[in-house]
């Protein structure tokens, strides 16, 4: 892995729960997040979205938040 990679990973703790968290990090994170959410994401604003797959089929509803680096936790 290098600095030009975009990483997508489950960030939810193991076990049963009502909320799932997926983290995107890297140069294409915003583009991918906005594609899946189907809308523009303002930095640090929670945005309700219907998440879709590559074919545009709804797969879930959720909240997307974009943290613009380097002012994010991981930079």
């Amino acid at each position: 892995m290098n600095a030009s990679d975009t990483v997508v990973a489950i960030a939810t703790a193991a076990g049963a729960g009502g909320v799932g968290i997926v983290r995107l990090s890297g140069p294409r994170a915003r583009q991918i997040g906005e594609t899946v959410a189907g809308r523009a994401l303002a930095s640090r604003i929670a945005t309700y979205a219907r998440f879709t797959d590559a074919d545009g089929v709804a797969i879930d509803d959720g909240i997307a938040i974009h943290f613009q680096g380097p002012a994010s936790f991981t930079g």
Side-chain angles (χ1 to χ4, degrees):
M1 185 164 68
N2 61 50
S4 64
D5 290 339
T6 298
V7 178
V8 179
I10 295 171
T12 309
V19 176
I21 300 170
V22 178
R23 178 170 182 234
L24 289 81
S25 182
R28 294 189 57 224
R30 184 176 200 159
Q31 174 190 4
I32 293 167
E34 289 180 345
T35 299
V36 172
R39 62 182 61 213
L41 299 174
S43 188
R44 300 184 177 275
I45 303 294
T47 303
Y48 170 79
R50 175 152 293 155
F51 301 130
T52 59
D53 66 15
D55 296 320
V57 176
I59 54 175
D60 208 344
D61 293 346
I63 303 294
I65 307 173
H66 172 70
F67 292 96
Q68 182 67 43
S72 64
F73 180 74
T74 57

